[in-house]
Amino acid sequence: MNVTLPTAQSLRAALAGLLDGLPPKQAAQAVDRLIASYRGETPTDAPILRDRSDVVAYAAYRMPATFEAVRSALDALVEVAPDWAPATHTDVGGGTGAASWAVAGAWEGAATTVLDWAEPALALGRELAGASGVPGLREARWERARIGAALELAPADLVTVSYVLKELTAQARTELVDAVAGAGQAVVIVEPGTPDGYARIIEARDRLIAAGLSIAAPCPHSGACPIAPGTDWCHFSARVSRSSLHRQVKGGSLSHEDEKFSYVVATRFPTTPAPARVTRRPQIRKGQVLLELCTRDEGLDRSTVTKRHGELYRAARNIAWGDPWPPEDSA
């Protein structure tokens, strides 16, 4: 990653500069409604974000978490395709542009187009991008489009779809995934890390494979998911730092929170998927580390790494939930 490109800190600074004028009570009320929509059954015939106050509240409440989740998924793509970089990027249902900030932080020079059906979200996204000081973001195109059925997408090296599928009917989800599969050389889809979010990811994963793409992450293979339906769900966690504004609109006191998310990365070009991936937070015990893994050849597996494993044990003590296993320099 190029550390000179956008970071979570610069995103928070841009948010703070644009959101200062919103009365805290109004922001909190809008956040409460958005939380209800995010966690419940959302109508799929209209945008969730209705006006600027909704969009401002959404940006403060959700944009930092979406940024971190998408950045984690993009990190996984960089790991398996370190020499690849997109020249063009389409962010479908991108709203205020959190995924576009993450893409601009991963690669320099990608020409981004953000599509969304909520004009207030696009408008605030333009403002935030303009305040970023990053050429790729400042030059992004923000276009209104109805997301879902009958969406026509121009070819792009990278297509991102983050926290969008939940808002769509089953038929619209199917058509959208088929559209992004046809348009993108690489496709990154992120959903909430809940059982139903995971179910939507698995559904999308199957359609991406059927369209001829190969799974690059988080799975170490393009075969069937080894998790028996209804028994568990695959999800990961990203640490999100909370600004004072973020704590104010969410009513929290901690300086951080953990965003749970599920994702899939699929490509039409060769990648080198990890032999295995850590699917739960590692359990560190005296002299040993317990790892829950999804593996290329053995499906779900539990591995105990002890001191006698030497360098591998030292690597296991520093491994994180969602990381590939084993690390290249310890394999």
Side-chain angles (χ1 to χ4, degrees):
M1 295 288 176
N2 186 334
V3 296
T4 66
L5 296 180
T7 63
Q9 290 78 12
S10 59
L11 174 58
R12 288 199 303 272
L15 283 169
L18 290 174
L19 307 184
D20 279 345
L22 185 69
K25 183 177 181 180
Q26 184 180 0
Q29 290 173 343
V31 165
D32 287 344
R33 189 181 67 78
L34 291 170
I35 290 174
S37 294
Y38 180 73
R39 293 177 177 170
E41 293 299 321
T42 303
T44 58
D45 299 314
I48 294 174
L49 305 177
R50 302 173 301 188
D51 53 30
R52 184 176 175 85
S53 64
D54 275 359
V55 174
V56 168
Y58 168 82
Y61 162 53
R62 283 301 307 164
M63 204 171 172
T66 301
F67 170 86
E68 293 294 354
V70 176
R71 183 166 70 169
S72 294
L74 296 178
D75 284 348
L77 175 54
V78 171
E79 287 168 358
V80 301
D83 298 325
W84 179 83
T88 54
H89 164 228
T90 301
D91 189 12
V92 179
T96 54
S100 297
W101 280 74
V103 168
W107 300 282
E108 192 167 10
T112 288
T113 299
V114 182
L115 304 178
D116 200 272
W117 57 4
E119 181 56 41
L122 295 169
L124 187 66
R126 289 188 197 98
E127 292 182 49
L128 290 169
S132 71
V134 178
L137 286 171
R138 297 179 69 176
E139 295 165 8
R141 299 170 58 189
W142 303 78
E143 299 180 0
R144 190 171 186 183
R146 186 170 183 84
I147 307 303
L151 177 66
E152 295 185 5
L153 294 175
D157 292 331
L158 172 65
V159 180
T160 54
V161 186
S162 53
Y163 298 92
V164 172
L165 299 184
K166 179 183 183 300
E167 300 177 22
L168 305 176
T169 64
Q171 181 62 33
R173 283 199 303 270
T174 295
E175 294 191 28
L176 176 59
V177 172
D178 288 349
V180 301
Q185 291 298 303
V187 175
V188 176
I189 301 177
V190 180
E191 283 286 293
T194 59
D196 61 329
Y198 161 73
R200 289 189 293 273
I201 288 294
I202 287 297
E203 178 185 79
R205 181 184 186 274
D206 290 344
R207 298 201 72 83
L208 293 171
I209 293 170
L213 285 79
S214 297
I215 302 303
C219 320
H221 57 79
S222 294
C225 177
I227 298 175
T231 63
D232 201 353
W233 70 100
C234 182
H235 66 292
F236 302 93
S237 180
R239 178 60 54 92
V240 183
S241 296
R242 283 174 163 174
S243 66
S244 58
L245 172 67
H246 195 241
R247 293 195 297 271
Q248 185 180 58
V249 297
K250 293 193 72 175
S253 58
L254 295 178
S255 63
H256 66 270
E257 65 180 4
D258 291 325
E259 170 71 4
K260 304 297 196 305
F261 65 97
S262 295
Y263 77 98
V264 64
V265 178
T267 68
R268 290 192 179 276
F269 51 84
T271 63
T272 307
R277 191 168 297 274
V278 180
T279 58
R280 287 289 186 273
R281 199 178 305 278
Q283 301 297 307
I284 299 178
R285 305 282 189 263
K286 185 176 180 179
Q288 60 181 344
V289 181
L290 310 180
L291 300 177
E292 299 279 348
L293 302 171
C294 181
T295 69
R296 182 178 301 161
D297 300 319
E298 299 176 358
L300 300 178
D301 189 29
R302 293 180 177 178
S303 179
T304 300
V305 186
T306 65
K307 283 186 175 180
R308 66 182 178 83
H309 291 100
E311 196 66 35
L312 199 63
Y313 170 72
R314 286 185 282 275
R317 288 185 60 85
N318 294 317
I319 207 72
W321 182 6
D323 283 352
W325 182 261
E328 284 189 13
D329 56 2
S330 300

